[in-house]
Amino acid sequence: MANNSGDKELVRSANMRSIYDKKRRVSDTILNGLIHLSTGFALTIVLVILGYIAFRGVPELDFGYFINQTSILKNTVGILPNIINTLYMIVLTLLIAVPIGVGGAIYLNEYADGGRFVDLVSFTTEVLSGIPSIVYGLFGYLFFGIFMGLSYSILTGALTLAIMVLPLISRNTQVALDNVPNSYREAALGIGSTKWYMIRTVLLPSAIPGILTGIILAMGRVVAESAALIFTAGAVAKLPSSFFGHITTSGATLTIQLYFEMAKGNFDIAFVIAVVLMVIVLTLNFLARWISMRFDVNRIK
Amino acid sequence: MENKIVAKNLNLWYGEKQALKNIDLDIKEKSITAFIGPSGCGKSTFLKTLNRMNDYVDNIRIEGDVILDGENIYADGVDTTILRKKVGMVFQQPNPFPMTIYDNVAYGPRIHGIKDRKTLDKIVEESLKDAALYDEVKDRLHTNALGLSGGQQQRLCIARCLAVEPEVILLDEPTSALDPISTLKIEELLMELKAKYTIAIVTHNMQQASRIADYTAFFLIGEMIEYGKTDDLFSRPQDERTENYITGRFG
Ligand SMILES: Nc1ncnc2c1ncn2[C@@H]1O[C@H](COP(=O)(O)OP(=O)(O)OP(=O)(O)O)[C@@H](O)[C@H]1O
Ligand SMILES: [Mg+2]
């Protein structure tokens, strides 16, 4: 009880202080300093990297790179095939991963009745997101490339990446659905909406910013990925000869090309690719922010 | 008066815990029935059994019958969409959708397949008028409903419920988040609505029950202790526990 009366004493003395007697706490000052320091540090690193890439890459930028493919016969150097391959890779990966990821998340959150199954899937998702991407590459190469006979192709790469970004998409969708107030569900069901109608008209519009954020993060992963693609999508940098046929041909994305150019010691073109990649990634990030604000139905305009 | 809804020997468990015990209760057509009782006694639970909003609760078990116009709503093959069109619900917290005022009210009719713009316009206007909200919002029908005040939002929820032309309206403490003026507006509204609709309302406010309800049921820890005409229940309670509660001696 002695302890208790001591606490009361403290409370009483706190009550006697004026509200203007702001106490300086040393721990607060130190913590504050540390936070500022580490923020500054992180920011500096980002700026140094961006600055260096811009410094090395921007002077090399030449419009020719963006409209040509590298060809010894025509004596041209360019990354247009890689840009196209990257676009193919993004679109194809999302076409596979978004319906499965978003659909699966809707099922898990709104239909499956809790319990073991949902736990198991969540656990698997977490494990999947922790696997190094080269392991996905190995699996994709053996399963899609060899076993399913798709060999080195953009499709093989996209299937592999789809598995890789699936957790990202489904996780974000689940969180977004979780954040939709239950009262919306009750309101809709309470006036006779079916579950699916409720999901379509109330849940998805409310959750769309979160879902889109997940999709854009997934796009970022696709753009940035190299390890999972080298042995699945392959190394060819040729312009497509047919729109759909291109899917089944080998195609190196920008990131893969960057890797090859580095390996060959072509640092000029490597930095050009790096600049392009940076611009894409930054754009995607800003897009993610803009979208989550623009489509937020819960914000009153 | 005719019985609109009859609950027969209703028992309900959340997991192991029994939340409703042997409830027998008739809700009379075109009248207001109030459910009162201390917090946690099962009023909301009972209200939700009347349009099967409990269906989505995990580990719930319901025994007994709820008869709506002679039909058991817990029978196999009942379409809850149609049931809830007939028996609508307004919740304790105003819960408009994050859409325009217009789309909120049109939500129900659209579920049930009404697409024609003119018809919808008419339904929206009439429902908002019935909910005594039209004049306040007629110039901003196409703005976000989340911008309305709490009282306006609750009346919007009532309008949204009315728009599907239900036969029964269930209200779970619809005024508990509202100021006295909004509360009175909603009470007046309910008094008018009972000419057309059967109304069941949960309330913690005993003045409210005595002001508006024709019948009142008193619940205590999952049981319905007493049920009768509101005036009788408040002036001549038969059960000591009811008397203790309404005189404020516990609960
Ligand atoms: N989904 C649920 N799962 C488990 N128990 C529940 C659930 N909903 C309600 N209960 C329990 O059932 C009992 C009755 O709850 P109910 O919400 O019906 O009370 P109430 O009379 O509406 O109370 P209040 O006046 O506070 O709203 C309470 O003990 C509550 O804890
Ligand atoms: Mg309640």
Side-chain angles (χ1 to χ4, degrees):
Chain A
M1 282 301 103
N3 197 357
N4 197 345
S5 66
D7 286 349
K8 282 209 180 109
E9 204 51 48
L10 273 178
V11 171
R12 204 167 302 133
S13 69
N15 281 344
M16 260 142 53
R17 276 176 29 220
S18 153
I19 54 171
Y20 295 113
D21 288 346
K22 190 171 177 199
K23 223 185 193 171
R24 279 254 156 85
R25 292 181 182 80
V26 185
S27 57
D28 278 5
T29 319
I30 294 178
L31 206 63
N32 240 320
L34 281 177
I35 291 169
H36 279 102
L37 207 70
S38 53
T39 316
F41 192 63
L43 207 66
T44 316
I45 292 181
V46 172
L47 287 180
V48 166
I49 293 177
L50 283 181
Y52 185 67
I53 290 172
F55 170 72
R56 290 287 304 266
V58 172
E60 305 292 334
L61 284 183
D62 181 310
F63 189 62
Y65 286 139
F66 297 100
I67 52 168
N68 282 319
Q69 60 178 323
T70 302
S71 158
I72 300 170
L73 285 180
K74 286 188 224 148
N75 195 22
T76 53
V77 178
I79 55 171
L80 180 60
N82 305 109
I83 295 177
I84 293 174
N85 290 342
T86 304
L87 289 178
Y88 264 81
M89 194 61 77
I90 292 175
V91 172
L92 205 54
T93 305
L94 292 183
L95 277 180
I96 302 163
V98 170
I100 302 175
V102 174
I106 291 176
Y107 174 76
L108 286 178
N109 249 45
E110 307 297 327
Y111 287 94
D113 26 284
R116 284 240 187 87
F117 177 64
V118 175
D119 286 349
L120 185 70
V121 175
S122 308
F123 177 71
T124 319
T125 317
E126 232 120 85
V127 172
L128 274 181
S129 59
I131 295 178
S133 55
I134 186 72
V135 177
Y136 285 100
L138 177 68
F139 171 78
Y141 168 69
L142 290 175
F143 186 76
F144 299 118
I146 309 279
F147 179 71
M148 290 181 60
L150 298 171
S151 73
Y152 290 124
S153 66
I154 291 181
L155 182 58
T156 308
L159 286 165
T160 310
L161 291 190
I163 299 178
M164 200 176 87
V165 299
L166 206 58
L168 202 61
I169 293 175
S170 69
R171 212 47 231 137
N172 272 281
T173 305
Q174 269 189 293
V175 170
L177 289 173
D178 275 340
N179 285 338
V180 179
N182 246 330
S183 61
Y184 291 174
R185 293 178 178 83
E186 284 189 328
L189 297 170
I191 45 175
S193 163
T194 60
K195 217 161 187 182
W196 176 233
Y197 188 85
M198 178 269 290
I199 290 170
R200 250 181 34 220
T201 54
V202 181
L203 288 200
L204 288 181
S206 272
I208 213 78
I211 298 175
L212 288 177
T213 307
I215 292 176
I216 287 172
L217 289 175
M219 287 165 84
R221 286 284 298 270
V222 174
V223 172
E225 189 51 46
S226 55
L229 286 179
I230 291 187
F231 294 105
T232 55
V236 176
K238 288 261 174 303
L239 289 172
S241 50
S242 96
F243 184 76
F244 288 110
H246 193 56
I247 292 169
T248 54
T249 65
S250 163
T253 60
L254 284 165
T255 321
I256 299 290
Q257 195 62 39
L258 172 56
Y259 170 79
F260 291 140
E261 300 297 348
M262 268 170 75
K264 283 187 268 180
N266 298 338
F267 284 103
D268 294 349
I269 182 91
F271 272 105
V272 169
I273 298 178
V275 169
V276 175
L277 283 173
M278 284 302 193
V279 170
I280 295 177
V281 169
L282 284 178
T283 313
L284 286 179
N285 269 301
F286 283 113
L287 201 65
R289 275 165 182 264
W290 180 76
I291 281 177
S292 47
M293 270 167 46
R294 169 68 184 71
F295 290 102
D296 191 352
V297 285
N298 289 296
R299 227 171 40 119
I300 303 156
K301 277 155 233 136
Chain B
M1 277 213 208
E2 295 275 319
N3 287 336
K4 183 73 184 173
I5 298 182
V6 181
K8 275 193 204 155
N9 202 8
L10 198 68
N11 286 282
L12 183 148
W13 291 262
Y14 290 118
E16 293 297 301
K17 192 171 159 282
Q18 186 160 14
L20 294 177
K21 293 174 198 151
N22 292 320
I23 310 279
D24 280 293
L25 197 152
D26 315 328
I27 293 174
K28 309 275 186 226
E29 192 167 33
K30 303 216 166 113
S31 62
I32 300 181
T33 305
F35 303 142
I36 60 169
S39 186
C41 67
K43 306 177 297 290
S44 301
T45 301
F46 179 67
L47 201 68
K48 284 183 188 168
T49 58
L50 301 181
N51 73 342
R52 292 187 52 170
M53 282 302 286
N54 282 328
D55 282 14
Y56 308 101
V57 180
D58 291 339
N59 293 323
I60 196 168
R61 190 156 61 87
I62 301 172
E63 280 173 10
D65 298 320
V66 175
I67 315 289
L68 170 71
D69 290 330
E71 294 174 326
N72 187 353
I73 67 168
Y74 283 98
D76 289 338
V78 167
D79 185 338
T80 49
T81 301
I82 301 171
L83 169 66
R84 295 190 191 127
K85 183 192 172 303
K86 291 188 183 191
V87 186
M89 187 150 195
V90 176
F91 298 83
Q92 180 166 358
Q93 294 295 330
N95 56 357
F97 298 126
M99 319 169 172
T100 65
I101 295 171
Y102 184 98
D103 287 339
N104 262 279
V105 184
Y107 189 84
R110 280 177 176 146
I111 297 174
H112 302 288
I114 299 175
K115 291 206 182 72
D116 178 59
R117 189 77 202 188
K118 282 219 181 75
T119 318
L120 283 176
D121 286 350
K122 199 164 140 263
I123 294 175
V124 169
E125 183 177 334
E126 277 173 7
S127 308
L128 285 170
K129 277 183 177 154
D130 278 349
L133 185 61
Y134 186 70
D135 291 332
E136 287 163 63
V137 300
K138 61 172 184 271
D139 303 320
R140 48 195 281 212
L141 287 179
H142 295 282
T143 61
N144 195 323
L146 299 183
L148 295 173
S149 77
Q152 290 171 329
Q153 287 188 4
Q154 193 60 300
R155 277 177 285 148
L156 177 65
C157 293
I158 294 178
R160 185 175 62 188
C161 180
L162 298 179
V164 296
E165 296 181 17
E167 296 166 17
V168 182
I169 306 174
L170 310 172
L171 304 108
D172 194 351
E173 297 182 49
T175 59
S176 67
L178 305 184
D179 69 283
I181 296 185
S182 307
T183 301
L184 282 180
K185 274 192 187 163
I186 288 184
E187 286 182 12
E188 272 173 32
L189 175 67
L190 295 178
M191 301 285 279
E192 279 169 30
L193 291 177
K194 79 170 181 182
K196 281 200 271 180
Y197 305 90
T198 304
I199 296 174
I201 178 172
V202 170
T203 177
H204 270 288
N205 179 333
M206 277 180 280
Q207 281 78 38
Q208 181 167 66
S210 60
R211 274 196 299 264
I212 64 173
D214 303 294
Y215 301 90
T216 299
F218 171 61
F219 284 73
L220 191 63
I221 345 179
E223 282 180 86
M224 197 198 66
I225 304 295
E226 189 166 349
Y227 173 52
K229 285 213 157 74
T230 301
D231 295 339
D232 294 344
L233 189 123
F234 279 103
S235 55
R236 292 180 292 282
Q238 304 294 309
D239 194 294
E240 198 187 351
R241 291 167 291 182
T242 316
E243 186 173 354
N244 286 340
Y245 184 72
I246 59 181
T247 53
R249 254 172 287 183
F250 71 77

Coordinates of all heavy atoms in Angstrom, one line a residue, chain A residues 110 112-115 182-195 197-202 205-206 296-301, chain B residues 48 51 53 56 58 80-82 84-85 87-89 91 93-99 104 107-108 110-112 144 146-147 160-161 164:
Chain A
E110 N -14.8 -11.9 -47.2 CA -16.3 -11.7 -47.1 C -17.1 -13.0 -47.2 O -18.2 -13.1 -46.8 CB -16.8 -10.8 -48.3 CG -16.0 -9.5 -48.4 CD -16.2 -8.6 -47.2 OE1 -17.3 -8.7 -46.6 OE2 -15.3 -7.9 -46.8
A112 N -15.5 -16.7 -46.9 CA -15.0 -17.8 -46.0 C -15.3 -17.5 -44.6 O -15.2 -16.3 -44.2 CB -13.5 -17.9 -46.2
D113 N -15.9 -18.5 -43.8 CA -16.2 -18.1 -42.5 C -15.0 -18.4 -41.5 O -15.0 -19.4 -40.8 CB -17.5 -18.8 -42.0 CG -17.8 -20.0 -42.7 OD1 -18.3 -19.9 -43.8 OD2 -17.6 -21.1 -42.1
G114 N -14.1 -17.5 -41.5 CA -13.0 -17.5 -40.6 C -12.3 -18.8 -40.4 O -12.2 -19.6 -41.3
G115 N -11.8 -19.0 -39.2 CA -11.2 -20.3 -38.9 C -9.9 -20.7 -39.5 O -9.2 -19.8 -40.1
N182 N -18.0 -1.9 -40.9 CA -19.0 -2.9 -40.9 C -20.4 -2.4 -41.1 O -21.3 -3.0 -41.7 CB -19.0 -3.7 -39.6 CG -18.5 -5.1 -39.9 OD1 -18.8 -5.7 -41.0 ND2 -17.9 -5.7 -38.9
S183 N -20.6 -1.1 -40.7 CA -21.9 -0.5 -40.8 C -22.4 -0.4 -42.2 O -23.5 -0.5 -42.5 CB -21.9 0.8 -40.1 OG -21.0 1.7 -40.8
Y184 N -21.4 -0.3 -43.2 CA -21.8 -0.2 -44.6 C -22.4 -1.6 -45.0 O -23.3 -1.6 -45.8 CB -20.6 0.1 -45.5 CG -20.0 1.5 -45.3 CD1 -18.9 1.9 -46.0 CD2 -20.7 2.5 -44.6 CE1 -18.3 3.1 -45.9 CE2 -20.1 3.7 -44.5 CZ -19.0 4.1 -45.1 OH -18.5 5.3 -45.0
R185 N -21.7 -2.6 -44.5 CA -22.2 -4.0 -44.9 C -23.6 -4.2 -44.4 O -24.5 -4.6 -45.1 CB -21.3 -5.0 -44.4 CG -19.9 -5.1 -45.0 CD -19.0 -6.1 -44.3 NE -17.7 -6.2 -44.9 CZ -16.7 -5.5 -44.6 NH1 -16.8 -4.5 -43.7 NH2 -15.5 -5.6 -45.1
E186 N -23.8 -3.8 -43.1 CA -25.1 -4.0 -42.4 C -26.1 -3.2 -43.2 O -27.2 -3.7 -43.4 CB -25.0 -3.5 -41.0 CG -24.3 -4.5 -40.1 CD -24.5 -4.1 -38.6 OE1 -24.5 -2.9 -38.3 OE2 -24.6 -5.0 -37.7
A187 N -25.8 -2.0 -43.5 CA -26.8 -1.1 -44.1 C -27.2 -1.7 -45.5 O -28.4 -1.8 -45.7 CB -26.2 0.3 -44.4
A188 N -26.3 -2.2 -46.2 CA -26.7 -2.7 -47.5 C -27.5 -4.0 -47.4 O -28.5 -4.2 -48.0 CB -25.4 -3.0 -48.4
L189 N -27.0 -4.9 -46.6 CA -27.7 -6.2 -46.4 C -29.0 -6.0 -45.8 O -30.0 -6.7 -46.1 CB -26.8 -7.2 -45.5 CG -25.5 -7.6 -46.1 CD1 -24.6 -8.3 -45.1 CD2 -25.7 -8.4 -47.3
G190 N -29.1 -5.0 -44.9 CA -30.3 -4.7 -44.1 C -31.5 -4.2 -45.0 O -32.6 -4.2 -44.6
I191 N -31.2 -3.7 -46.2 CA -32.3 -3.4 -47.1 C -32.4 -4.3 -48.2 O -32.9 -4.0 -49.3 CB -32.3 -1.9 -47.6 CG1 -30.9 -1.5 -48.1 CG2 -32.8 -0.9 -46.6 CD1 -30.9 -0.1 -48.7
G192 N -31.8 -5.5 -48.1 CA -32.1 -6.6 -49.0 C -31.1 -6.7 -50.1 O -31.4 -7.4 -51.1
S193 N -29.9 -6.1 -50.0 CA -28.9 -6.3 -51.0 C -28.4 -7.7 -50.9 O -28.3 -8.3 -49.8 CB -27.8 -5.3 -50.8 OG -26.6 -5.7 -51.4
T194 N -28.0 -8.4 -52.0 CA -27.3 -9.6 -51.9 C -25.9 -9.3 -51.5 O -25.4 -8.2 -51.7 CB -27.4 -10.4 -53.2 OG1 -26.7 -9.6 -54.2 CG2 -28.8 -10.7 -53.6
K195 N -25.2 -10.3 -51.1 CA -23.8 -10.1 -50.7 C -22.9 -9.6 -51.9 O -22.2 -8.6 -51.7 CB -23.2 -11.4 -50.2 CG -22.3 -11.2 -49.1 CD -22.0 -12.4 -48.3 CE -21.2 -12.1 -47.1 NZ -20.9 -13.3 -46.3
Y197 N -23.9 -8.0 -54.6 CA -24.3 -6.6 -54.9 C -23.7 -5.7 -53.9 O -23.2 -4.6 -54.3 CB -25.9 -6.5 -54.9 CG -26.4 -5.2 -55.5 CD1 -26.6 -5.0 -56.8 CD2 -26.7 -4.2 -54.6 CE1 -27.0 -3.8 -57.3 CE2 -27.2 -3.0 -55.1 CZ -27.3 -2.8 -56.4 OH -27.8 -1.6 -56.9
M198 N -23.8 -6.0 -52.7 CA -23.2 -5.2 -51.6 C -21.7 -5.0 -51.9 O -21.1 -3.9 -51.8 CB -23.4 -5.8 -50.3 CG -22.9 -5.2 -49.1 SD -21.3 -5.7 -48.6 CE -21.5 -7.4 -48.0
I199 N -21.0 -6.1 -52.2 CA -19.6 -6.0 -52.5 C -19.3 -5.1 -53.6 O -18.4 -4.2 -53.6 CB -19.0 -7.4 -52.7 CG1 -19.0 -8.2 -51.4 CG2 -17.6 -7.3 -53.3 CD1 -18.7 -9.7 -51.6
R200 N -20.0 -5.3 -54.7 CA -19.8 -4.5 -55.9 C -20.1 -3.0 -55.7 O -19.3 -2.1 -56.2 CB -20.7 -5.0 -57.0 CG -20.0 -5.7 -58.1 CD -20.9 -6.2 -59.2 NE -22.0 -5.3 -59.4 CZ -23.3 -5.7 -59.6 NH1 -23.5 -7.0 -59.7 NH2 -24.3 -4.8 -59.8
T201 N -21.2 -2.7 -55.0 CA -21.6 -1.3 -55.0 C -21.1 -0.5 -53.8 O -21.0 0.7 -53.8 CB -23.2 -1.2 -55.0 OG1 -23.6 -2.0 -53.9 CG2 -23.7 -1.7 -56.3
V202 N -20.8 -1.2 -52.7 CA -20.4 -0.5 -51.5 C -18.9 -0.8 -51.1 O -18.1 0.1 -50.9 CB -21.3 -0.8 -50.3 CG1 -20.8 0.0 -49.1 CG2 -22.7 -0.4 -50.7
P205 N -16.0 0.1 -54.1 CA -15.8 1.5 -54.3 C -15.0 2.1 -53.1 O -14.2 3.0 -53.2 CB -17.2 2.1 -54.4 CG -18.0 1.0 -54.9 CD -17.4 -0.2 -54.3
S206 N -15.4 1.6 -51.9 CA -14.7 2.1 -50.7 C -13.3 1.7 -50.6 O -12.4 2.3 -50.1 CB -15.4 1.7 -49.4 OG -16.4 2.6 -49.1
D296 N -10.9 8.3 -53.2 CA -11.3 8.0 -51.8 C -12.8 8.5 -51.7 O -13.0 9.6 -51.5 CB -10.4 8.6 -50.8 CG -10.7 8.2 -49.4 OD1 -11.7 7.4 -49.3 OD2 -9.9 8.5 -48.5
V297 N -13.7 7.5 -51.7 CA -15.1 7.9 -51.6 C -15.5 8.4 -50.2 O -16.5 9.1 -50.1 CB -16.1 6.8 -52.0 CG1 -16.1 6.5 -53.4 CG2 -15.7 5.5 -51.2
N298 N -14.6 8.1 -49.3 CA -15.0 8.5 -47.9 C -14.5 10.0 -47.6 O -14.7 10.5 -46.5 CB -14.4 7.6 -46.9 CG -15.1 6.3 -46.9 OD1 -16.3 6.2 -46.6 ND2 -14.4 5.2 -47.3
R299 N -13.8 10.6 -48.6 CA -13.4 11.9 -48.4 C -14.5 12.8 -48.9 O -15.0 12.6 -50.0 CB -12.1 12.2 -49.2 CG -11.1 12.9 -48.4 CD -9.8 12.9 -49.1 NE -10.1 13.2 -50.5 CZ -9.6 14.2 -51.2 NH1 -8.9 15.1 -50.7 NH2 -9.9 14.4 -52.5
I300 N -14.9 13.8 -48.1 CA -15.9 14.7 -48.5 C -15.3 15.9 -49.3 O -14.5 16.6 -48.8 CB -16.7 15.3 -47.3 CG1 -17.3 14.1 -46.5 CG2 -17.9 16.2 -47.8 CD1 -17.5 14.4 -45.1
K301 N -15.8 16.0 -50.6 CA -15.1 17.0 -51.4 C -15.8 18.4 -51.2 O -16.9 18.5 -50.8 CB -15.2 16.6 -52.9 CG -14.1 15.7 -53.2 CD -14.4 14.8 -54.4 CE -14.2 13.4 -54.1 NZ -15.3 12.5 -54.6
Chain B
K48 N -32.6 -8.1 -34.4 CA -32.0 -8.6 -35.6 C -32.5 -10.0 -36.0 O -32.4 -10.4 -37.2 CB -30.5 -8.7 -35.4 CG -29.8 -7.4 -35.5 CD -28.3 -7.6 -35.3 CE -27.6 -6.2 -35.2 NZ -26.2 -6.4 -34.7
N51 N -35.3 -9.8 -39.0 CA -35.1 -9.8 -40.4 C -33.8 -10.6 -40.8 O -33.2 -10.3 -41.8 CB -35.1 -8.4 -41.0 CG -33.9 -7.6 -40.7 OD1 -33.2 -7.9 -39.8 ND2 -33.6 -6.5 -41.4
M53 N -30.8 -10.5 -39.7 CA -29.5 -9.9 -39.8 C -28.5 -10.6 -39.0 O -27.3 -10.3 -39.0 CB -29.6 -8.4 -39.4 CG -30.1 -7.5 -40.4 SD -29.2 -7.5 -42.0 CE -27.7 -6.6 -41.5
Y56 N -25.2 -13.5 -40.4 CA -23.8 -13.3 -40.7 C -22.9 -13.4 -39.5 O -21.7 -13.3 -39.6 CB -23.6 -11.9 -41.4 CG -24.5 -11.8 -42.5 CD1 -25.6 -11.0 -42.4 CD2 -24.2 -12.4 -43.7 CE1 -26.5 -10.9 -43.5 CE2 -25.1 -12.3 -44.8 CZ -26.2 -11.5 -44.6 OH -27.1 -11.4 -45.7
D58 N -20.9 -15.4 -36.8 CA -20.3 -16.8 -36.6 C -20.8 -17.5 -35.4 O -21.1 -16.8 -34.4 CB -18.8 -16.7 -36.6 CG -18.2 -16.3 -37.9 OD1 -18.9 -16.4 -38.9 OD2 -17.0 -15.8 -37.9
T80 N -33.7 -14.0 -48.3 CA -33.5 -12.9 -47.3 C -33.6 -11.6 -48.0 O -33.9 -10.6 -47.4 CB -32.2 -13.0 -46.6 OG1 -31.1 -13.2 -47.6 CG2 -32.2 -14.1 -45.6
T81 N -33.4 -11.5 -49.3 CA -33.5 -10.3 -50.1 C -34.9 -9.8 -50.0 O -35.2 -8.6 -49.7 CB -33.1 -10.5 -51.5 OG1 -31.7 -10.9 -51.5 CG2 -33.2 -9.2 -52.3
I82 N -35.9 -10.7 -50.3 CA -37.3 -10.3 -50.2 C -37.7 -10.0 -48.8 O -38.4 -9.1 -48.5 CB -38.1 -11.4 -50.9 CG1 -37.7 -11.6 -52.3 CG2 -39.6 -11.0 -50.8 CD1 -38.3 -12.8 -53.0
R84 N -36.0 -8.9 -46.4 CA -35.5 -7.6 -45.9 C -36.0 -6.4 -46.7 O -35.9 -5.3 -46.2 CB -33.9 -7.6 -45.9 CG -33.4 -8.6 -45.0 CD -31.9 -8.4 -44.8 NE -31.4 -9.6 -44.0 CZ -30.4 -10.4 -44.4 NH1 -29.8 -10.1 -45.5 NH2 -30.1 -11.4 -43.7
K85 N -36.6 -6.7 -47.8 CA -37.3 -5.6 -48.5 C -38.6 -5.4 -47.7 O -39.0 -4.2 -47.6 CB -37.7 -6.1 -49.9 CG -38.4 -4.9 -50.7 CD -39.0 -5.4 -52.0 CE -39.9 -4.3 -52.6 NZ -41.0 -3.9 -51.7
V87 N -39.0 -6.2 -44.4 CA -38.7 -5.9 -43.0 C -37.3 -5.1 -43.0 O -36.3 -5.7 -43.0 CB -38.6 -7.1 -42.1 CG1 -38.3 -6.7 -40.7 CG2 -39.8 -8.0 -42.2
G88 N -37.4 -3.8 -43.1 CA -36.2 -3.0 -43.2 C -35.6 -2.7 -41.8 O -36.3 -2.8 -40.8
M89 N -34.4 -2.2 -41.8 CA -33.7 -1.9 -40.5 C -32.9 -0.6 -40.5 O -32.3 -0.3 -41.5 CB -32.8 -3.1 -40.2 CG -32.1 -3.0 -38.9 SD -31.8 -4.7 -38.3 CE -31.6 -4.4 -36.6
F91 N -30.1 1.5 -38.1 CA -29.2 1.1 -37.1 C -29.0 2.2 -36.1 O -29.3 3.4 -36.3 CB -27.9 0.6 -37.7 CG -28.1 -0.6 -38.6 CD1 -28.5 -0.5 -39.9 CD2 -27.9 -1.9 -38.0 CE1 -28.7 -1.6 -40.7 CE2 -28.1 -3.0 -38.8 CZ -28.5 -2.8 -40.1
Q93 N -26.1 3.6 -35.1 CA -25.2 4.7 -35.6 C -25.7 5.0 -37.0 O -25.9 4.0 -37.8 CB -23.8 4.2 -35.7 CG -23.1 4.0 -34.3 CD -23.0 5.2 -33.5 OE1 -22.9 6.3 -34.1 NE2 -23.1 5.1 -32.2
P94 N -25.9 6.3 -37.3 CA -26.2 6.6 -38.7 C -25.2 6.0 -39.7 O -24.0 6.1 -39.4 CB -26.2 8.1 -38.8 CG -26.3 8.6 -37.4 CD -25.7 7.5 -36.5
N95 N -25.6 5.2 -40.7 CA -24.6 4.6 -41.5 C -24.9 4.8 -43.0 O -25.1 3.9 -43.8 CB -24.5 3.1 -41.2 CG -25.8 2.4 -41.3 OD1 -26.8 3.0 -41.6 ND2 -25.8 1.1 -41.2
P96 N -24.9 6.1 -43.4 CA -25.1 6.3 -44.9 C -23.9 5.8 -45.6 O -22.8 5.7 -45.1 CB -25.2 7.9 -45.0 CG -24.5 8.4 -43.8 CD -24.7 7.4 -42.7
F97 N -24.1 5.4 -46.9 CA -23.0 5.0 -47.7 C -22.2 6.2 -48.2 O -22.8 7.3 -48.3 CB -23.6 4.3 -49.0 CG -24.3 3.1 -48.7 CD1 -25.6 2.9 -49.2 CD2 -23.8 2.0 -47.9 CE1 -26.4 1.8 -49.0 CE2 -24.5 0.9 -47.7 CZ -25.8 0.8 -48.2
P98 N -21.0 6.0 -48.5 CA -20.2 7.1 -49.0 C -20.5 7.4 -50.4 O -19.7 7.2 -51.3 CB -18.7 6.6 -48.8 CG -18.8 5.2 -48.9 CD -20.1 4.8 -48.3
M99 N -21.7 7.8 -50.6 CA -22.2 8.2 -52.0 C -23.0 9.4 -51.9 O -23.2 10.0 -50.8 CB -23.1 7.1 -52.6 CG -22.8 5.7 -52.3 SD -24.1 4.7 -52.8 CE -23.4 3.1 -52.6
N104 N -27.8 7.2 -52.1 CA -28.1 6.5 -50.9 C -29.6 6.0 -50.9 O -29.9 4.9 -50.6 CB -27.9 7.4 -49.7 CG -26.6 7.1 -49.0 OD1 -26.4 6.2 -48.3 ND2 -25.6 7.9 -49.4
Y107 N -30.5 3.5 -53.5 CA -29.8 2.2 -53.4 C -30.7 1.0 -53.3 O -30.6 0.0 -54.1 CB -28.9 2.2 -52.2 CG -27.9 1.0 -52.1 CD1 -26.7 1.1 -52.8 CD2 -28.2 -0.1 -51.4 CE1 -25.8 0.0 -52.7 CE2 -27.4 -1.2 -51.4 CZ -26.2 -1.1 -52.0 OH -25.3 -2.2 -52.0
G108 N -31.7 1.1 -52.4 CA -32.6 -0.1 -52.3 C -33.4 -0.4 -53.5 O -33.4 -1.5 -54.0
R110 N -32.8 0.3 -56.5 CA -31.9 -0.2 -57.5 C -31.7 -1.7 -57.3 O -31.6 -2.5 -58.3 CB -30.6 0.6 -57.6 CG -30.8 1.9 -58.3 CD -29.5 2.6 -58.3 NE -29.6 3.9 -59.1 CZ -29.0 5.0 -58.8 NH1 -28.2 5.1 -57.7 NH2 -29.1 6.1 -59.6
I111 N -31.5 -2.1 -56.1 CA -31.3 -3.6 -55.8 C -32.4 -4.3 -56.4 O -32.3 -5.4 -57.0 CB -31.3 -3.9 -54.3 CG1 -30.1 -3.2 -53.6 CG2 -31.3 -5.4 -54.0 CD1 -30.2 -3.3 -52.1
H112 N -33.6 -3.8 -56.2 CA -34.8 -4.5 -56.6 C -35.2 -4.2 -58.0 O -36.3 -4.4 -58.4 CB -35.9 -4.2 -55.6 CG -35.5 -4.6 -54.2 ND1 -35.4 -5.9 -53.8 CD2 -35.2 -3.8 -53.1 CE1 -35.0 -5.9 -52.5 NE2 -34.8 -4.7 -52.1
N144 N -22.1 14.4 -51.4 CA -21.8 13.3 -50.6 C -22.6 13.3 -49.3 O -22.6 14.3 -48.6 CB -20.3 13.2 -50.3 CG -19.8 11.9 -49.7 OD1 -20.6 11.2 -49.0 ND2 -18.7 11.5 -50.1
L146 N -22.0 11.9 -46.6 CA -21.2 12.0 -45.4 C -21.0 13.4 -44.9 O -20.6 13.7 -43.8 CB -19.8 11.3 -45.6 CG -19.8 9.8 -45.9 CD1 -18.4 9.3 -46.1 CD2 -20.6 9.0 -44.9
G147 N -21.4 14.4 -45.7 CA -21.3 15.8 -45.3 C -22.5 16.2 -44.5 O -22.5 17.4 -44.1
R160 N -33.7 6.0 -46.7 CA -33.2 4.9 -47.5 C -34.0 3.6 -47.2 O -34.2 2.8 -48.1 CB -31.7 4.7 -47.1 CG -31.0 3.7 -47.9 CD -29.5 3.6 -47.6 NE -29.3 3.3 -46.2 CZ -28.1 3.3 -45.6 NH1 -27.1 3.7 -46.2 NH2 -28.0 2.9 -44.3
C161 N -34.4 3.5 -46.0 CA -35.2 2.3 -45.6 C -36.6 2.4 -46.2 O -37.1 1.4 -46.7 CB -35.2 2.2 -44.1 SG -36.1 0.9 -43.4
V164 N -37.6 1.4 -50.1 CA -37.9 0.1 -50.7 C -39.3 -0.3 -50.3 O -39.7 -1.5 -50.5 CB -36.9 -1.0 -50.2 CG1 -35.5 -0.8 -50.8 CG2 -36.9 -1.2 -48.7

